[in-house]
Amino acid sequence: ADEITTLSSYRNVAQAELIRRPMFIVCRATRTPANSDGVPHDYNTFVDSVLMQGRPRFGQFIEDEAADEERPKMFRDQFHKQHWLIKEACKEARADKTRTLGPNGEVLLMWSDKATKPIVYNGPWAGTDNTDGLSPFISIKGSSTFRTSKQLALWVWENSYNAVEKLTTEILAGLTKRGKLGILVTENDINFKTDKKYLPGLQAMTQRRAAAYRIANPHFETGIAHQVLTKDGGKVSDDFESPSVLQKIRDHSPVQIAIADGAVFGEWVKSLGYTLDAYPKFFVFDSLRDTIWRMEEWMPSVQLSPDLLLAVGPEGARLAADGPEIAAIAKFLEAIEAPESEGGLRGVPTTTMGVIARYVTDYVPFTSKLSAMLGDDPILFLTVVGCCVMFIFVIIVSFRRSGEDDDEAALKAYKAAKQAKKAEGKATGATGVKKDDGAKEKKE
């Protein structure tokens, strides 16, 4: 865990960061010592186990050791502002008696560029039984620790990425489970620490979208995934990464934004049927359904250009977010996130299997429900449908063969009976002739 209690320690941690990742911060009122035998308290192991659900950094903030400071008229730098916001979020959360705190009164924060201030987790830290908690983690002494709350695990799991990620193969593989991915393809690689062309405007857009979502969903702090999975009164499945559960989360999660280097991912983008004749390009990709939404097809009048996305000065991000191009991207994302029944845009399949699966679900009754149960995976769906068709075919052939065998047996029995009757007739006829000849002889 990174120690971020003082401003200098926080600045050192933030500046030394080599990989952009969200930071989950546990705020403690006081520094809790270890047990007398040197074994950490149960909740230390418990927190570590929770953080393994995602790819975050872990920070520790001790409130009574932090300098008490009023909001300054002017912050020294961005790190000073961030550190002050963390301290205030801890203080406000602890003062709010309606919040659920950790086993020893801890406050859990998530800090990333998704929001302009830290997001406080509000929900149970530990499960009450086997249905509400993940498997227990074992401490050094061998005694079982807290059972990690599924709600907390889901919250960490879904907040493990920044507002705008730099696309890598690792990020691409990880984000496929979380929902649709909005990708801005640039001609060259960009430096996320110094970029002023794309990153500020996209971050500001994402922050606005997240703020609007929080207003529309008062229980945002408990997590999108948990709200989706429990809105019908059900409990979170033990395997919350199963296809059907993941699909529910994906369909209700905002589109994740990423920036891709066209020189690295150009061939992959072309494999999706996208022609990179100019930069930048923006599209949304759903890897599970193998579908793509090309912005230029839905909004042909909008032509993205680096100059209009350029953000200059302290107000650059806000100005870029207010610009027509970022506004068009935001509108495009809203149309994709809307349900198809309410006018939402429908993606175009990128593979032959996807096209066939789309045709089957469109024209064969009840197959759309089957596809949803299988997580809308076209390969898995077509495999199951193919197996069902083959099974039905085998059953029909078996019944038909059985019927033919019965008909053949009946025909044989009929022929045998006919031959037996014919033979009996012949035998009867021969006996009758003999009787007539004997009577005739006797008469004579």
Side-chain angles (χ1 to χ4, degrees):
D2 295 320
E3 182 66 46
I4 60 168
T5 300
T6 63
L7 175 58
S8 59
S9 62
Y10 176 76
R11 182 183 281 109
N12 291 336
V13 170
Q15 289 179 333
E17 181 186 9
L18 299 177
I19 303 175
R20 296 174 63 254
R21 292 180 297 172
M23 177 177 281
F24 289 80
I25 303 166
V26 175
C27 299
R28 300 175 184 168
T30 59
R31 190 179 297 277
T32 306
N35 293 334
S36 58
D37 58 0
V39 179
H41 282 281
D42 278 347
Y43 76 86
N44 290 334
T45 308
F46 163 68
V47 170
D48 290 341
S49 69
V50 171
L51 296 176
M52 290 176 65
Q53 301 297 327
R55 53 180 289 277
R57 292 178 298 159
F58 175 34
Q60 175 179 251
F61 187 89
I62 309 301
E63 295 178 58
D64 66 350
E65 296 180 10
D68 193 11
E69 178 186 14
E70 297 292 333
R71 182 183 180 95
K73 294 181 179 179
M74 183 176 294
F75 293 100
R76 295 171 227 168
D77 52 26
Q78 60 173 332
F79 304 115
H80 183 200
K81 182 178 180 180
Q82 292 171 3
H83 187 263
W84 188 86
L85 289 173
I86 290 171
K87 182 165 50 179
E88 287 301 303
C90 292
K91 196 180 299 182
E92 291 175 5
R94 194 172 299 284
D96 187 354
K97 301 302 181 182
T98 62
R99 288 189 176 276
T100 303
L101 302 180
N104 290 282
E106 299 87 359
V107 176
L108 181 61
L109 309 177
M110 189 280 292
W111 180 246
S112 75
D113 62 353
K114 281 186 177 180
T116 55
K117 62 180 182 179
I119 297 175
V120 184
Y121 171 69
N122 186 22
W125 285 50
T128 56
D129 52 37
N130 291 339
T131 60
D132 292 335
L134 300 178
S135 299
F137 285 75
I138 308 304
S139 67
I140 298 174
K141 296 286 286 185
S143 61
S144 61
T145 66
F146 294 100
R147 288 184 179 272
T148 306
S149 165
K150 293 175 185 175
Q151 182 172 336
L152 179 50
L154 284 169
W155 187 80
V156 173
W157 180 80
E158 71 185 37
N159 286 293
S160 295
Y161 291 89
N162 289 294
V164 183
E165 288 285 351
K166 182 176 182 178
L167 194 65
T168 62
T169 53
E170 177 191 358
I171 294 293
L172 182 60
L175 289 174
T176 53
K177 292 183 177 182
R178 284 163 169 75
K180 303 178 182 71
L181 184 60
I183 302 175
L184 181 74
V185 186
T186 59
E187 187 172 5
N188 300 305
D189 189 23
I190 67 170
N191 188 327
F192 271 61
K193 290 188 176 182
T194 60
D195 176 67
K196 299 298 180 184
K197 279 189 175 183
Y198 309 105
L199 192 58
L202 292 174
Q203 283 177 334
M205 177 197 72
T206 304
Q207 290 170 1
R208 288 183 178 184
R209 282 163 44 81
Y213 186 90
R214 284 195 295 273
I215 294 173
N217 299 269
H219 301 292
F220 174 81
E221 291 174 342
T222 61
I224 298 173
H226 189 267
Q227 289 297 315
V228 169
L229 299 178
T230 58
K231 68 177 183 178
D232 297 327
K235 288 188 176 181
V236 180
S237 168
D238 286 331
D239 182 13
F240 59 79
E241 292 194 26
S242 64
S244 59
V245 173
L246 277 174
Q247 194 54 54
K248 289 181 181 180
I249 299 173
R250 290 165 61 89
D251 288 341
H252 290 82
S253 298
V255 175
Q256 171 69 48
I257 305 299
I259 298 179
D261 180 4
V264 176
F265 289 92
E267 292 301 319
W268 174 72
V269 174
K270 289 178 183 178
S271 70
L272 301 178
Y274 209 116
T275 303
L276 294 175
D277 52 357
Y279 294 94
K281 293 280 189 179
F282 186 80
F283 65 94
V284 175
F285 178 59
D286 186 343
S287 61
L288 187 61
R289 293 188 174 101
D290 285 328
T291 52
I292 188 172
W293 293 260
R294 303 178 182 89
M295 185 173 177
E296 58 189 17
E297 293 181 1
W298 298 101
M299 296 181 170
S301 61
V302 179
Q303 298 295 327
L304 300 180
S305 63
D307 293 337
L308 292 180
L309 285 173
L310 183 63
V312 180
E315 293 295 314
R318 184 184 63 79
L319 294 175
D322 289 335
E325 295 188 353
I326 295 293
I329 291 176
K331 186 177 180 180
F332 180 54
L333 296 177
E334 290 175 4
I336 292 174
E337 292 168 351
E340 292 182 10
S341 58
E342 299 177 10
L345 301 181
R346 196 178 197 191
V348 178
T350 61
T351 62
T352 303
M353 299 289 278
V355 173
I356 297 174
R358 172 70 60 83
Y359 182 85
V360 172
T361 55
D362 284 348
Y363 295 102
V364 180
F366 307 112
T367 53
S368 59
K369 292 183 178 180
L370 174 62
S371 179
M373 290 173 59
L374 299 173
D376 283 335
D377 184 340
I379 297 178
L380 179 60
F381 168 70
L382 291 178
T383 301
V384 172
V385 170
C387 291
C388 291
V389 172
M390 182 62 67
F391 177 75
I392 294 173
F393 176 75
V394 170
I395 293 297
I396 292 175
V397 170
S398 299
F399 274 111
R400 185 174 180 181
R401 179 73 186 198
S402 176
E404 290 177 353
D405 291 343
D406 291 342
D407 293 342
E408 186 176 351
L411 181 61
K412 288 182 178 179
Y414 172 74
K415 289 182 178 180
K418 189 175 181 181
Q419 289 177 355
K421 188 175 182 181
K422 187 175 181 181
E424 183 182 354
K426 286 182 179 180
T428 304
T431 305
V433 170
K434 288 180 180 179
K435 285 182 178 180
D436 290 344
D437 291 344
K440 187 176 180 180
E441 291 175 359
K442 188 175 181 180
K443 187 176 180 180
E444 289 177 352

